[in-house]
Amino acid sequence: MRIALFGTSADPPTAGHQAIIRWLSNKYDWVAVWAADNPFKSHQTRLEHRVAMMHLLIKDIDAPQDNIGLEQQLSSLRTLETLEKAKARWGEESEFTLVIGSDLLPQLPRWYRIEELLQQVQLLVVPRPGFIVEESSVHTVQKLGGKIEFANFIGPDVSSTAYRESGDSEALTPLVVDYIHKEHLYKWSLVIGH
């Protein structure tokens, strides 16, 4: 079984995340998605809200096959622990691909026991619009044992950060926007007066 592991901060989850998940569902037997706390980022919103928004984002995907799951139990500050949980859930014989945005590639060498992790997963790097991948980052990860594939997919040019900074609700799906307003998350839902 080929399983894509896609954890994201989802602060908030965007139409870009949704497009990636939809694309992955056409390439893998199962797409495991979760909202994560990234130890290299500060999060504005509590994890429980990010999980709820991720659930709404996935619910709204019109994928041809039903092979996407919110697998929140996989969430861990250490990706190696996430992989151990995934192996316990789907078995050692499954083939695991860790999906990351191209902006995370330079961070990878600092991840917990990265060489051990890279021995056990494939890496699928999704190009992020406007982010140039340095060849040196690719070589560094390959020297650590990383088997890197670049997705032939580029999602919409939207980001969680842009929403948090400018309130551009075009970056989000309607269900997520409604949830943000209902829960009064982020400063933009307060400005709009919902």
Side-chain angles (χ1 to χ4, degrees):
M1 190 164 171
R2 297 177 66 243
I3 298 169
L5 301 173
F6 184 48
T8 174
S9 298
D11 195 11
T14 67
H17 292 115
Q18 190 181 57
I20 292 166
I21 294 165
R22 184 182 300 114
W23 183 83
L24 290 169
S25 76
N26 290 313
K27 305 283 182 203
Y28 291 88
D29 299 318
W30 187 253
V31 181
V33 183
W34 65 95
D37 281 330
N38 181 335
F40 296 100
K41 292 182 178 179
S42 61
H43 302 285
Q44 290 191 0
T45 307
R46 291 193 325 262
L47 185 60
E48 66 200 60
H49 286 301
R50 292 185 279 128
V51 171
M53 289 186 284
M54 202 58 154
H55 171 74
L56 292 170
L57 187 85
I58 291 170
K59 185 175 130 179
D60 199 29
I61 293 177
D62 56 344
Q65 57 272 33
D66 187 21
N67 64 342
I68 301 165
L70 180 61
E71 305 281 354
Q72 193 55 37
Q73 73 279 9
L74 296 179
S75 185
S76 173
L77 286 176
R78 296 177 166 159
T79 305
L80 189 59
E81 291 170 2
T82 293
L83 179 62
E84 288 165 8
K85 292 176 186 181
K87 284 182 175 183
R89 173 135 165 57
W90 290 287
E92 296 273 340
E93 66 284 349
S94 291
E95 181 184 305
F96 296 98
T97 298
L98 181 63
V99 181
I100 64 167
S102 56
D103 56 317
L104 291 184
L105 205 53
Q107 262 183 28
L108 272 183
R110 300 195 312 266
W111 286 18
Y112 175 76
R113 290 165 53 187
I114 187 61
E115 291 180 42
E116 192 176 334
L117 175 67
L118 292 174
Q119 289 170 8
Q120 301 176 62
V121 295
Q122 300 284 325
L123 270 183
L124 178 66
V125 179
V126 178
R128 188 152 191 178
F131 187 87
I132 307 298
V133 175
E134 299 289 332
E135 201 62 41
S136 60
S137 293
V138 175
H139 289 310
T140 300
V141 172
Q142 287 172 330
K143 279 186 203 166
L144 292 169
K147 299 170 284 298
I148 302 174
E149 180 185 343
F150 283 86
N152 62 350
F153 165 84
I154 298 177
D157 190 4
V158 296
S159 75
S160 302
T161 304
Y163 172 78
R164 290 193 310 267
E165 291 175 355
S166 68
D168 176 16
S169 59
E170 294 294 311
L172 308 181
T173 63
L175 290 177
V176 171
V177 170
D178 290 347
Y179 182 88
I180 288 170
H181 292 315
K182 184 176 79 116
E183 296 295 328
H184 305 292
L185 305 177
Y186 311 102
K187 63 185 177 185
W188 301 109
S189 66
L190 302 174
V191 169
I192 296 168
H194 288 276

